[in-house]
Short mmCIF file of all heavy atoms in Angstrom, two decimals:
data_model
loop_
_atom_site.label_atom_id
_atom_site.label_comp_id
_atom_site.label_asym_id
_atom_site.label_seq_id
_atom_site.Cartn_x
_atom_site.Cartn_y
_atom_site.Cartn_z
N PRO A 49 -26.22 -79.20 -11.24
CA PRO A 49 -26.78 -80.35 -10.52
C PRO A 49 -26.37 -80.35 -9.07
O PRO A 49 -25.25 -79.89 -8.74
CB PRO A 49 -26.28 -81.59 -11.26
CG PRO A 49 -24.95 -81.12 -11.82
CD PRO A 49 -25.17 -79.69 -12.20
N THR A 79 -28.22 -60.62 -3.59
CA THR A 79 -27.76 -59.26 -3.24
C THR A 79 -28.22 -58.32 -4.37
O THR A 79 -28.31 -58.76 -5.52
CB THR A 79 -26.23 -59.22 -3.02
OG1 THR A 79 -25.89 -57.85 -2.66
CG2 THR A 79 -25.47 -59.55 -4.35
N PRO A 89 -36.53 -40.01 1.07
CA PRO A 89 -35.51 -41.07 1.37
C PRO A 89 -36.06 -42.19 2.23
O PRO A 89 -35.62 -43.30 2.10
CB PRO A 89 -34.40 -40.27 2.16
CG PRO A 89 -35.09 -39.04 2.59
CD PRO A 89 -36.14 -38.70 1.63
N ASN A 143 -37.54 -50.76 8.51
CA ASN A 143 -38.98 -50.93 8.75
C ASN A 143 -39.58 -51.87 7.77
O ASN A 143 -40.48 -52.63 8.09
CB ASN A 143 -39.69 -49.60 8.80
CG ASN A 143 -39.42 -48.86 10.13
OD1 ASN A 143 -38.90 -49.39 11.08
ND2 ASN A 143 -39.84 -47.60 10.17
N LYS A 146 -38.82 -55.31 8.85
CA LYS A 146 -39.65 -55.70 9.95
C LYS A 146 -41.04 -56.15 9.38
O LYS A 146 -41.62 -57.12 9.86
CB LYS A 146 -39.86 -54.56 10.91
CG LYS A 146 -38.60 -54.29 11.77
CD LYS A 146 -38.86 -53.08 12.65
CE LYS A 146 -37.57 -52.74 13.46
NZ LYS A 146 -37.81 -51.54 14.33
N MET A 180 -38.30 -74.59 -6.90
CA MET A 180 -37.29 -74.61 -7.97
C MET A 180 -37.85 -73.86 -9.23
O MET A 180 -39.05 -73.98 -9.49
CB MET A 180 -36.94 -76.07 -8.34
CG MET A 180 -36.12 -76.79 -7.32
SD MET A 180 -34.47 -75.95 -7.11
CE MET A 180 -33.72 -76.46 -8.71
N VAL A 203 -39.72 -41.66 -13.85
CA VAL A 203 -38.88 -40.82 -14.75
C VAL A 203 -39.76 -39.65 -15.28
O VAL A 203 -39.40 -38.49 -15.24
CB VAL A 203 -38.27 -41.66 -15.89
CG1 VAL A 203 -37.70 -40.69 -16.94
CG2 VAL A 203 -37.25 -42.60 -15.34
N TRP A 214 -41.41 -32.07 -20.58
CA TRP A 214 -42.86 -32.31 -20.35
C TRP A 214 -43.74 -32.00 -21.61
O TRP A 214 -44.70 -32.78 -21.85
CB TRP A 214 -43.33 -31.49 -19.14
CG TRP A 214 -44.74 -31.65 -18.90
CD1 TRP A 214 -45.79 -30.81 -19.07
CD2 TRP A 214 -45.41 -32.89 -18.52
NE1 TRP A 214 -46.98 -31.33 -18.81
CE2 TRP A 214 -46.80 -32.66 -18.46
CE3 TRP A 214 -44.95 -34.20 -18.20
CZ2 TRP A 214 -47.73 -33.63 -18.07
CZ3 TRP A 214 -45.86 -35.19 -17.85
CH2 TRP A 214 -47.23 -34.86 -17.75
N ARG A 239 -44.66 -52.32 -2.05
CA ARG A 239 -45.34 -53.57 -1.57
C ARG A 239 -44.36 -54.77 -1.61
O ARG A 239 -43.60 -54.95 -2.64
CB ARG A 239 -46.51 -53.91 -2.42
CG ARG A 239 -47.71 -53.00 -2.32
CD ARG A 239 -48.77 -53.29 -3.38
NE ARG A 239 -49.95 -52.46 -3.20
CZ ARG A 239 -51.11 -52.82 -2.72
NH1 ARG A 239 -51.23 -54.10 -2.30
NH2 ARG A 239 -52.09 -52.02 -2.58
N MET A 248 -47.10 -69.21 -4.07
CA MET A 248 -46.34 -69.99 -4.95
C MET A 248 -46.06 -71.38 -4.40
O MET A 248 -46.19 -72.40 -5.04
CB MET A 248 -44.98 -69.34 -5.27
CG MET A 248 -44.99 -68.29 -6.35
SD MET A 248 -43.33 -67.54 -6.46
CE MET A 248 -42.28 -68.93 -6.75
N ASP A 258 -38.72 -62.39 -10.53
CA ASP A 258 -39.33 -61.11 -10.32
C ASP A 258 -38.92 -60.21 -11.45
O ASP A 258 -37.82 -60.33 -12.07
CB ASP A 258 -38.92 -60.52 -8.92
CG ASP A 258 -37.50 -60.20 -8.79
OD1 ASP A 258 -36.68 -60.98 -9.34
OD2 ASP A 258 -37.11 -59.33 -8.03
N ASN A 270 -34.71 -64.96 -19.61
CA ASN A 270 -33.75 -65.59 -18.70
C ASN A 270 -34.31 -66.81 -17.98
O ASN A 270 -33.64 -67.84 -17.84
CB ASN A 270 -33.26 -64.58 -17.66
CG ASN A 270 -31.99 -65.03 -16.90
OD1 ASN A 270 -31.03 -65.43 -17.50
ND2 ASN A 270 -32.09 -65.05 -15.58
N ILE A 292 -49.53 -44.95 -18.62
CA ILE A 292 -48.11 -45.10 -18.91
C ILE A 292 -47.85 -45.74 -20.25
O ILE A 292 -46.88 -45.35 -21.00
CB ILE A 292 -47.47 -46.01 -17.83
CG1 ILE A 292 -47.45 -45.29 -16.48
CG2 ILE A 292 -46.03 -46.37 -18.21
CD1 ILE A 292 -46.77 -43.93 -16.47
N THR A 300 -40.05 -43.24 -27.58
CA THR A 300 -39.70 -44.68 -27.90
C THR A 300 -38.53 -45.14 -27.06
O THR A 300 -38.14 -44.49 -26.10
CB THR A 300 -39.29 -44.75 -29.39
OG1 THR A 300 -38.19 -43.81 -29.59
CG2 THR A 300 -40.41 -44.35 -30.29
N ALA A 354 -38.72 -66.80 -24.98
CA ALA A 354 -39.96 -65.97 -24.51
C ALA A 354 -40.19 -64.88 -25.52
O ALA A 354 -39.32 -64.35 -26.16
CB ALA A 354 -39.71 -65.37 -23.11
#
Side-chain angles (χ1 to χ4, degrees):
T79 185
N143 284 349
K146 289 178 182 178
M180 288 295 290
V203 168
W214 178 250
R239 289 174 179 255
M248 276 175 57
D258 65 328
N270 191 53
I292 295 302
T300 58

